[in-house]
Amino acid sequence: MKKFAFLVHVRNSYRIDLAAVARPFGWLPESFYENAMRNRPLRPFVWSKVTLSPGATEAEGYVIMVPYSGKQLLSQQRAMMPRIEQAVDLASSLGAGVVGLGALTSPVTLGGKLLTGRDDVSITNGNAFTAVITWRRMAQLIDESPSYRPTVAIVGASGSVGHLVSQLLARHQPDADYLLIARNERRLNALAWEMTGLNPLVEPQVSTDMESVRKADIVLLLTSSSEALLQSRHLKPGAVVLDDTVPRNTNPALLDQRPDVTIIDGGLVSMPYLHTSRDIGLPDQTSYACLAETMLLSLANHEGHFSIRNPTLEQAEYIGELARQYSDFGFRPAADHSFCVPMKTAARFQHSYSRSPASAV
């Protein structure tokens, strides 16, 4: 097994994340940190040591913090690239053979493309396994929907994960009506043609308007944004939302505004032996799917870069097979949470891993 590293950044709040290092940091207002961090060349550092094997006593991997907010990464991409390169340098110096790109470090590097000149580490954006886990959960939600033929809105469909999830759904779940939503209509139309080519029973609609989400029984949220994009007015009565975004594009206030709506945290993987030396913002023994992909590649001693920009159906099959091969470590869809809180209704949605209608990958 190779050592691995996974890059993260400050989520939506310096104050909250830094309070995990020392409680007094949480006493300062967010505006103080925003002003203090602006245009500062801050060096990445090890946020947490990670083990995933039962009984492991030495670090098998590292979570490396790029100490900037998601908003800064997206608005100052050119300035952020040297910081991300430094984070990969740190990973390599720690002996990591595989480096995963977490959250918005992936779009800033064009899905890892800007790092493929490196030959000291294998780079992956984690999107292949994220797509597989997301597709499996969506297949369950479609199967459980009270609608005979539910309308499924995929927000961010033309992105790296959205593209592959859409392909998997077209191939295996033709018993739904799909609405593809993103900013680029040309890409959406191309994806709709791809989906119909994979399965003639699937004829997706496309839209560039978030208001069209209101047609959907099930909403899959996959956008790369530092802000909450999904609002109460966008949701149909009784809608189910699978939020696969980090930072989150949903706000906890939605639970109060729309008690009829179910919001599920997406892209979470059960890892019964996982241990981190510092909180990474997840329930115990739970991993992000993109981090899990990094772990799978390290367990398999993978050589060369893996998921770069848009992962392929072939890569989905490969990483799904690795998940089965290393199932003793977990790599199964986690129990349902909503804003990191276990859902009382989780049993209503939960299927066994082996019986999932999405078990082909």
Side-chain angles (χ1 to χ4, degrees):
M1 172 184 176
K2 294 182 176 181
K3 284 193 174 184
F4 61 88
F6 186 69
L7 308 191
V8 299
H9 57 80
V10 176
R11 287 165 290 181
N12 291 323
S13 170
Y14 284 106
R15 182 178 61 83
I16 293 173
D17 279 5
L18 291 177
V21 180
R23 187 174 296 177
F25 287 138
W27 300 343
L28 297 170
E30 188 67 20
S31 58
F32 169 84
Y33 291 110
E34 289 178 351
N35 291 327
M37 303 299 188
R38 185 174 291 122
N39 298 323
R40 295 290 181 90
L42 304 173
R43 296 191 68 84
F45 60 92
V46 174
W47 176 261
S48 178
K49 296 179 181 178
V50 183
T51 57
L52 65 150
S53 304
T57 56
E58 295 185 3
E60 295 173 308
Y62 304 90
V63 174
I64 295 177
M65 173 67 75
V66 180
Y68 296 92
S69 69
K71 184 180 294 185
Q72 284 177 292
L73 262 72
L74 289 179
S75 63
Q76 304 174 42
Q77 293 191 25
R78 184 173 296 180
M80 293 297 108
M81 268 307 300
R83 308 285 85 82
I84 293 174
E85 286 276 11
Q86 287 178 338
V88 179
D89 290 341
L90 175 57
S92 181
S93 72
L94 292 168
V98 181
V99 176
L101 304 175
L104 298 179
T105 64
S106 177
V108 167
T109 60
L110 301 182
K113 181 180 179 181
L114 298 180
L115 297 170
T116 54
R118 303 193 65 124
D119 57 10
D120 54 335
V121 295
S122 298
I123 299 291
T124 187
N125 58 32
N127 289 350
F129 196 52
T130 299
V132 168
I133 288 293
T134 301
W135 161 59
R136 286 174 173 161
R137 193 67 191 89
M138 287 295 292
Q140 293 171 349
L141 292 176
I142 291 169
D143 185 54
E144 292 288 333
S145 175
S147 299
Y148 170 72
R149 188 178 178 87
T151 297
V152 176
I154 305 174
V155 183
S158 63
S160 180
V161 177
H163 189 273
L164 182 52
V165 172
S166 298
Q167 290 178 311
L168 290 167
L169 286 169
R171 177 175 281 183
H172 299 284
Q173 273 71 48
D175 50 343
D177 294 321
Y178 294 103
L179 174 61
L180 310 179
I181 301 171
R183 295 174 181 172
N184 190 311
E185 188 172 6
R186 180 184 59 81
R187 289 183 182 177
L188 288 175
N189 285 326
L191 175 57
W193 277 104
E194 279 186 55
M195 293 173 68
T196 302
L198 287 167
N199 193 331
L201 298 176
V202 175
E203 297 181 352
Q205 301 295 309
V206 304
S207 175
T208 58
D209 185 359
M210 278 292 290
E211 299 296 332
S212 61
V213 173
R214 191 168 174 81
K215 303 174 184 176
D217 302 291
I218 303 169
V219 180
L220 173 59
L221 200 54
L222 292 165
T223 52
S224 295
S225 172
S226 60
E227 300 175 350
L229 298 180
L230 193 67
Q231 305 297 320
S232 174
R233 70 178 188 276
H234 296 142
L235 294 169
K236 179 179 181 177
V240 176
V241 179
L242 185 64
D243 186 355
D244 228 27
T245 58
V246 180
R248 294 193 70 114
N249 289 173
T250 51
N251 191 300
L254 272 176
L255 298 177
D256 294 324
Q257 297 166 359
R258 294 293 303 274
D260 61 303
V261 167
T262 302
I263 301 176
I264 304 171
D265 300 343
L268 299 185
V269 179
S270 174
M271 302 283 295
Y273 307 111
L274 180 68
H275 176 74
T276 57
S277 60
R278 182 177 286 156
D279 176 40
I280 59 172
L282 287 175
D284 292 340
Q285 282 126 25
T286 305
S287 170
Y288 297 111
C290 45
L291 171 55
E293 176 172 304
T294 309
M295 296 174 183
L296 281 167
L297 295 174
S298 71
L299 284 166
N301 291 308
H302 181 81
E303 295 289 339
H305 305 309
F306 184 62
S307 181
I308 302 296
R309 303 208 79 166
N310 286 358
T312 64
L313 286 167
E314 291 73 23
Q315 287 175 319
E317 291 173 1
Y318 173 75
I319 205 71
E321 178 55 38
L322 287 186
R324 282 188 287 273
Q325 183 178 337
Y326 294 104
S327 60
D328 288 349
F329 293 87
F331 298 112
R332 297 176 176 86
D336 283 338
H337 287 69
S338 185
F339 295 95
C340 291
V341 176
M343 291 180 61
K344 293 180 181 179
T345 57
R348 183 163 71 92
F349 297 100
Q350 195 70 24
H351 289 200
S352 72
Y353 186 79
S354 59
R355 289 174 54 217
S356 166
S359 61
V361 171

